[in-house]
Amino acid sequence: MWFLGQKRWSPYFVGMCIGILYCCSYYFMGRLLGTTMSFMHVIALIEHYLTPYHAEHSLFFKTFIHNHPYIDWQFALVIALFFGSLVSSLISKSRTREAVPSIWKENFGPSRIKRYIGAFIGGILIVFGARIAGGCTSGFAIAYGLQLAVTGWLFIFSLFITGVIVASILYSKSR
């Protein structure tokens, strides 16, 4: 088990493991992996607690609240991802990290708060976009890519092209 202590794993090995995990998930549970639905569960819980009348009369939340359990295996997956990352960092002893990476400093300055706000807004945009699209990156790219579906490969292509363009614009000072 020496490889568990490595700071970085081979992307080919990790990709193969994710593919096997997807196949097992689909075979044993009949469901593909995904995480954005768990965030919708949390939002539905908050909505139902804060404004129960609105939640009960909103078609989306009414359907969502009555037809889906709040805590399911996907929610457990999100929690496990957090703790798995923590255990991984402890095993690999990669606790040292930069407060603000050098590429960020070059482009946006040394402010930690600005970086945290940018990461938070980026996360909100990702979840919002995933909900508009009807699934997250793992749902489209990995699951549909594994099935060799044209939509999955179009999404992967679009994801990489958009990522390159946005990164080129955001990090233009460090070129």
Side-chain angles (χ1 to χ4, degrees):
M1 298 303 253
W2 60 270
F3 64 91
L4 290 177
Q6 293 180 343
K7 291 190 187 287
R8 288 191 166 77
W9 288 13
S10 163
Y12 305 110
F13 175 73
V14 173
M16 182 182 68
C17 289
I18 290 172
I20 291 169
L21 179 63
Y22 258 87
C23 291
C24 290
S25 169
Y26 191 73
Y27 181 78
F28 291 112
M29 294 189 282
R31 305 263 323 262
L32 296 173
L33 296 177
T35 56
T36 56
M37 190 57 74
S38 298
F39 293 104
M40 295 308 298
H41 285 255
V42 172
I43 290 169
L45 273 171
I46 294 168
E47 177 84 16
H48 191 65
Y49 177 75
L50 294 177
T51 58
Y53 179 80
H54 179 266
E56 288 294 327
H57 291 85
S58 166
L59 180 61
F60 174 74
F61 283 107
K62 187 175 181 180
T63 304
F64 194 79
I65 289 169
H66 294 298
N67 294 337
H68 298 284
Y70 292 117
I71 308 300
D72 63 353
W73 67 272
Q74 283 186 334
F75 191 82
L77 173 69
V78 172
I79 302 300
L81 287 170
F82 173 79
F83 285 109
S85 300
L86 177 65
V87 169
S88 174
S89 72
L90 294 174
I91 289 173
S92 69
K93 297 179 177 78
S94 61
R95 292 182 214 146
T96 59
R97 62 186 169 106
E98 292 181 74
V100 179
S102 58
I103 192 169
W104 180 272
K105 285 180 191 175
E106 289 175 29
N107 289 277
F108 304 105
S111 172
R112 274 181 157 179
I113 299 298
K114 187 188 283 187
R115 181 169 175 248
Y116 294 153
I117 290 170
F120 184 75
I121 291 170
I124 288 172
L125 290 173
I126 286 172
V127 172
F128 182 70
R131 294 313 316 148
I132 288 174
C136 60
T137 306
S138 61
F140 281 118
I142 299 170
Y144 295 142
L146 281 172
Q147 296 174 26
L148 300 177
V150 175
T151 54
W153 288 97
L154 284 173
F155 178 76
I156 292 168
F157 181 73
S158 301
L159 179 75
F160 279 103
I161 294 298
T162 305
V164 167
I165 292 169
V166 170
S168 296
I169 293 168
L170 286 178
Y171 297 110
S172 61
K173 290 182 185 175
S174 59
R175 284 195 265 168

